[in-house]
Amino acid sequence: MQPSTARFGKFRIMLGNSADPIVYAAPCGFTSKSLTLTKDLTDVTLPDCDDPDAVAWVGRDASTLSASVSGEGVLASESVETWLDAWENVESVPVKIEIEFPAKTITWTGLMHVSSLNPSTEQGGRVTMSVEMQSDGELVRTVS
């Protein structure tokens, strides 16, 4: 049996507007994108009470969760102002991230800061841009 997978177009990174309810749209131009989910850990030494000279193991406790989004692609005129507005905003912006599989869709919603925009080009080429976003508080995961 082969695994059920999701194609590039079924992985959506969308920015929300200030409407009520929020309307989300995926800015045009990404040719690669990623979501990184991280957990910060605090280490604690766990001694062996029966043999104090034994090498101790390290225990770990979770202290924080965080998420980041990276993407790059062509700098599309249809979305450049959306990205610039989000980067210039002193407040974090609404974000929805979806991965749509054949039988279910996993969605994360929350707030993120656009932490970097990097437009670049080389002679003879088109202008590209890379984007970095960092979570601001909880991203809520749902499965439908």
Side-chain angles (χ1 to χ4, degrees), residues 22-104:
I22 298 169
V23 176
Y24 294 93
C28 178
F30 277 147
T31 57
S32 70
K33 47 197 163 185
S34 68
L35 169 66
T36 303
L37 304 171
T38 57
K39 181 189 303 186
D40 288 331
L41 303 172
T42 303
D43 292 357
V44 61
T45 302
L46 301 173
D48 185 325
C49 293
D50 294 329
D51 183 0
D53 292 327
V55 176
W57 282 92
V58 174
R60 292 187 172 87
D61 296 317
S63 58
T64 62
L65 297 175
S66 182
S68 63
V69 167
S70 299
E72 59 184 65
V74 296
L75 181 57
S77 66
E78 296 83 359
S79 58
V80 65
E81 289 184 65
T82 300
W83 286 117
L84 289 170
D85 289 347
W87 176 77
E88 291 169 350
N89 196 337
V90 68
E91 301 293 332
S92 49
V93 296
V95 173
K96 181 186 284 189
I97 302 150
E98 293 179 336
I99 302 175
E100 183 182 336
F101 294 95
K104 65 183 170 188

Side-chain angles (χ1 to χ4, degrees), residues 125-139:
R126 306 224 180 177
V127 177
T128 61
M129 186 168 72
S130 62
V131 174
E132 295 283 337
M133 295 192 295
Q134 301 291 326
S135 60
D136 181 19
E138 182 180 10
L139 289 186

